[in-house]
């Protein structure tokens, strides 16, 4: 049965961004602590925004190959409620956290040949095999980008997704108000995640965010009986 996919809006960098995402009805918002990435926010600025948030909005921190002690410090300081690991974090690294963990994998025709420990793949089967080693709370499947770990507004071929993983699937990569509905009906993810597709001039656009959340809502008649990748 198709249920309302959860919506996460990623790359919050100001109070205005947070207002746009929360006002649109996003279930979760994410702060990007990936050093050198274009949506990076320092923990002090993130904490100021987070302390002003209303209840009932999950707060996620995005990291990539960050030392464990640093993630612990930032998560506690910013009162994060879930962690998203977007680098080449190992199954061992992703264990024993006091927070729900989302592990990101990336799919793309131009992904490099997968070596041991890879988290970017050209095809579904090797990705699914790698993901099977991770005891996490959800998997985020994003588009592979050769020059960035994510956040580039690039889609991937959703038909590459070949079935369920051991944990719920969150779809990301180039989603926007115009394509998210098709993505949801075709992939049936547990959740969808967006950064670029709800921005104008690098800032979260309230109208685009609202349109995205609305487009992601389940509608009568959507349910063709196929199983969601919960
Ligand atoms: O958003 C970023 O700048 C970013 C940088 C490094 C790692 C992950 C990042 N964001 C994640 O990428 C997806 C897809 O972004 P987009 O919608 O294609 O712009 C986003 O949902 C974040 O989880």
């Amino acid at each position: 049965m198709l249920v309302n996919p959860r919506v996460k809006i990623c790359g919050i960098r100001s109070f205005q961004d947070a207002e746009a995402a929360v006002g649109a009805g996003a279930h979760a918002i994410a702060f990007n602590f990936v050093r050198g990435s274009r949506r990076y926010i320092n923990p002090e600025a993130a904490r100021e925004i987070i302390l002003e948030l209303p209840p009932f909005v999950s707060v996620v921190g995005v990291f990539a190959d960050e030392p464990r002690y640093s993630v612990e410090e930032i998560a506690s300081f910013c009162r994060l409620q879930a962690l998203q690991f977007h680098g080449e974090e190992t199954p061992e690294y992703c264990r024993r956290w006091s927070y729900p963990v989302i592990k990101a994998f990336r799919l793309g025709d131009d992904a490099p040949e997968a070596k041991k420990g890879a988290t970017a793949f050209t095809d579904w089967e090797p990705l699914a095999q790698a993901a099977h080693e991770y005891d996490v709370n959800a998997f985020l499947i994003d588009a592979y980008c050769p020059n960035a770990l994510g956040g580039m507004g690039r889609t991937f071929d959703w038909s590459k997704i070949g079935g369920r993983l051991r944990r719920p699937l969150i779809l990301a990569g180039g989603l926007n108000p115009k394509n998210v509905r098709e993505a949801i009906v075709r992939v049936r993810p547990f959740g969808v995640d967006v950064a670029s597709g709800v921005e104008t001039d690098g800032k979260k656009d309230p109208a685009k965010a609202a349109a995205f959340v609305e487009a992601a809502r389940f509608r009568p008649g959507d349910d063709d009986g196929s199983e969601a990748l919960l």
Side-chain angles (χ1 to χ4, degrees):
M1 183 187 89
L2 184 68
V3 292
N4 261 341
R6 302 299 191 278
V7 174
K8 171 161 93 64
I9 294 182
C10 191
I12 301 297
R13 300 188 66 211
S14 67
F15 289 102
Q16 292 72 24
D17 281 354
E19 282 170 350
V22 172
H27 299 95
I29 61 175
F31 295 81
N32 194 316
F33 301 109
V34 179
R35 298 171 194 279
S37 68
R38 58 183 177 159
R39 294 189 179 88
Y40 175 81
I41 184 170
N42 68 59
E44 293 73 16
R47 176 185 164 95
E48 275 192 43
I49 298 166
I50 293 164
L51 292 179
E52 295 299 314
L53 289 175
F56 313 138
V57 179
S58 288
V59 179
V60 182
V62 181
F63 301 89
D65 303 316
E66 185 75 16
R68 198 177 173 104
Y69 77 89
S70 175
V71 175
E72 294 279 12
E73 283 177 1
I74 294 170
S76 170
F77 181 69
C78 292
R79 300 185 184 178
L80 300 180
Q81 295 165 306
L83 305 175
Q84 177 179 318
F85 295 133
H86 223 95
E88 295 203 331
E89 294 84 0
T90 63
E92 180 52 33
Y93 177 97
C94 293
R95 289 192 188 102
R96 287 186 300 283
W97 292 93
S98 310
Y99 306 86
V101 170
I102 302 163
K103 180 66 189 90
F105 286 87
R106 294 169 292 144
L107 262 181
D109 292 338
D110 52 349
E113 185 182 345
K115 299 185 174 62
K116 180 165 172 45
T119 57
F121 298 88
T122 53
D123 297 303
W124 181 253
E125 272 320 304
L127 184 155
Q129 280 175 22
H132 190 72
E133 301 304 313
Y134 286 77
D135 184 13
V136 294
N137 299 83
F139 293 106
L140 183 143
I141 310 299
D142 189 4
Y144 172 77
C145 296
N147 51 8
L149 286 174
M152 300 302 284
R154 188 185 198 196
T155 56
F156 66 92
D157 177 359
W158 300 323
S159 65
K160 281 177 175 279
I161 295 177
R164 283 172 173 271
L165 297 172
R166 67 187 285 191
R167 293 290 185 190
L169 184 148
I170 299 165
L171 183 66
L175 298 179
N176 61 55
K178 292 186 170 57
N179 67 10
V180 69
R181 182 156 186 69
E182 178 193 356
I184 284 169
V185 173
R186 283 176 55 186
V187 174
R188 304 243 186 253
F190 169 77
V192 288
D193 185 11
V194 62
S196 309
V198 293
E199 289 179 353
T200 299
D201 299 332
K203 294 180 170 55
K204 301 311 177 192
D205 179 318
K208 289 183 181 177
F212 186 87
V213 172
E214 177 54 30
R217 280 193 207 291
F218 165 68
R219 295 176 189 153
D222 276 349
D223 190 355
D224 62 5
S226 56
E227 281 297 294
L229 297 181
L230 283 173

